[in-house]
Amino acid sequence: MSSQKIGIVGSGLIGRAWAMLFAAAGYRVQLYDILESQLATALQELDKDLHRLEEQGALRGHIRASEQFALIGVTTRLEELTREAVHIQECVPEVLQLKKRLYSQLDELLEEQTVVASSTSTFMPSLYSEGLKKRKQMLVAHPLNPPYFIPLVEIVPAPWTSPSAVERTRDLMLSLGQRPVTLKREIQGFATNRIQYAILNEVWRLVGSGILSVADVDRVLSQGLGLRYALLGSLETAHLNAPGGVADYFQRFGGEISAVSATYGETPNTQEDRETLAEIARQCEQLVSLEKLDERRAVRDEFLIQLAKLKKQFE
Ligand code: NAI
């Protein structure tokens, strides 16, 4: 149990999720937002969510929901947030100018021991930290939604981020029970979106060329590959799929992999290919209408809780 202070900038969806993760591990959490009303709503939501998770038997950590909630405070003053914080998790909207403005304010306030991690899904850390005095203390720690049930965090340093900031962020994530991966250097899309986009490009091509329906292309993952991938990565999957392990796998199937890969064709232009987009949207909305998206998200999260429990046993 720790009494170290964690600051969170932005109390929206992701900021609140981080607040719950840190409080579950016993950290003192302070949430900062520009809107006082947003902080009041965030506290109400947190209180509700923590107690709901407790009722479902899905609360993380070893202390009760009310004790976790008591660890979370709020402020609308950035200078109060930065005071004595060991880590600040930035969760403001995905707008580069907004992030840049915030980081230059933080640059004036950061204490020496504080690391600032951005939750950004898209911006490499050099894009907003270049030229700042405290840029060594800044990096990306990108979660996946919903972070409470998906443990992966991508830690991405800028070229100037200090190795100790990277190491401390990694240790901190492990102390929450999250599963960090550390990129050696920043790259557009980090790792998750690079892999996710490779999949999206190919399902787009398969639907766009009329080979598979949306329901069927999604079944390839949800009823096929995804079941293995929920437990193992693609390389360990390959390792288990040949008698002599991964080297044997690529010896046997490498030729086929290259031959199929040569037929992929161009990267789809998902903004300009309106015909395919309209078809994908039509079929997706037949599967889940726009009015039912929230309901479906709730079901997904409910079953993610079960999956997270099962994975713990697997590990
Ligand atoms: P959100 O819109 O739910 O919340 C943003 C919060 O930031 C709001 O409470 C807003 O009042 C506050 N805010 C705006 N300007 C601010 C400022 N200057 N200072 C302090 N607070 C400010 O956004 P969400 O979805 O929580 O996203 C936050 C970050 O997390 C983004 O960088 C996003 O890319 C990243 N992320 C989002 C995921 C998602 O699925 N929503 C998944 C992984 C990362």
Side-chain angles (χ1 to χ4, degrees), residues 12-14 32-34 38 91-94 99 119-121 143 145:
L13 184 74
I14 297 298
Y32 162 87
D33 207 293
I34 35 165
Q38 173 62 28
C91 313
V92 302
E94 198 70 346
K99 301 231 188 228
S119 302
T120 177
S121 318
N145 197 38

Side-chain angles (χ1 to χ4, degrees), residues 10 28 47 52 84 87 105 120 122 136 165 167 187 195 217 276 287 296 303:
R28 281 186 295 126
D47 198 14
R52 184 179 40 80
E84 291 176 10
H87 178 95
Q105 283 174 282
T120 177
T122 50
K136 276 182 166 171
E167 211 43 50
I187 182 168
I195 294 171
V217 88
T276 305
L287 293 174
R296 186 82 170 140
F303 281 85

